[in-house]
Amino acid sequence: MHPKQICADFASMGSPLVLDGDDLYIEHLENIYPELEELVKSYKSRIVAYLKGEYSDNDHNVKQTVDKIINFYLGIEQDMNGKINDWLNHDGEATKMVMELTIELSYNGWNKVSEPTCNYENKVIDKLSKEIFERAMVYFKNGVVMG
């Protein structure tokens, strides 16, 4: 989910998300359900980056694509699972990179696969994510594996 949408949704409920340095607060916490507070915690790093102006649409496209690939591996039904399956069956290097990404995420503490990966990302994850994204886009647009 795009942090912009999360911020807009919370503002519309009368509980805007407020940044104080690197600390993120939910105003009028009493207006929301505890599950929504957990959502904010799960996406905190991306929301903070967005509120600081450090989260571009391109960043979101990369992270959303990786989220969809991870959801594919988790068996979560998505419209694009067939495309992802086809791509990864033809691009062994991308498959290897996805495995490296999940291992790196686990080193960073991501051990509950139902939890978003946002708060476990680092520079290594960002670099791998961009490389995976580029390979995916080449395959989805041109039907060829990147060399």
Side-chain angles (χ1 to χ4, degrees), residues 70 95-110 120 122 124-125 128:
I70 290 173
T95 301
K96 178 182 168 195
M97 293 167 78
V98 171
M99 295 301 106
E100 289 174 20
L101 181 90
T102 58
I103 290 168
E104 186 67 29
L105 285 164
S106 74
Y107 290 157
N108 294 342
W110 182 66
Y120 304 98
N122 61 17
V124 173
I125 298 292
L128 270 169

Side-chain angles (χ1 to χ4, degrees), residues 11 13 15 20 22 26 35 40 49 63 70 74 88-90 99 102 109 111 128 134:
M13 291 183 280
S15 295
D20 182 13
D22 284 337
I26 303 171
E35 296 85 7
V40 169
K63 292 176 185 297
I70 290 173
L74 294 175
L88 292 174
N89 280 325
H90 287 91
M99 295 301 106
T102 58
N111 56 18
L128 270 169
E134 289 170 7

Side-chain angles (χ1 to χ4, degrees), residues 20-85:
D20 182 13
D22 284 337
D23 295 326
L24 183 63
Y25 298 98
I26 303 171
E27 288 189 353
H28 309 292
L29 192 57
E30 67 276 5
N31 292 347
I32 62 164
Y33 293 107
E35 296 85 7
L36 293 176
E37 183 179 4
E38 290 303 313
L39 175 82
V40 169
K41 288 178 183 177
S42 295
Y43 285 90
K44 180 183 177 187
S45 64
R46 291 183 190 175
I47 294 168
V48 168
Y50 170 75
L51 291 173
K52 286 182 169 184
E54 299 169 355
Y55 190 88
S56 69
D57 285 341
N58 187 59
D59 292 331
H60 180 69
N61 291 339
V62 169
K63 292 176 185 297
Q64 183 181 47
T65 298
V66 170
D67 290 346
K68 288 179 180 182
I69 293 165
I70 290 173
N71 287 343
F72 163 78
Y73 276 110
L74 294 175
I76 296 172
E77 191 61 40
Q78 311 172 102
D79 290 342
M80 64 185 340
N81 280 354
K83 284 181 167 182
I84 294 170
N85 186 54

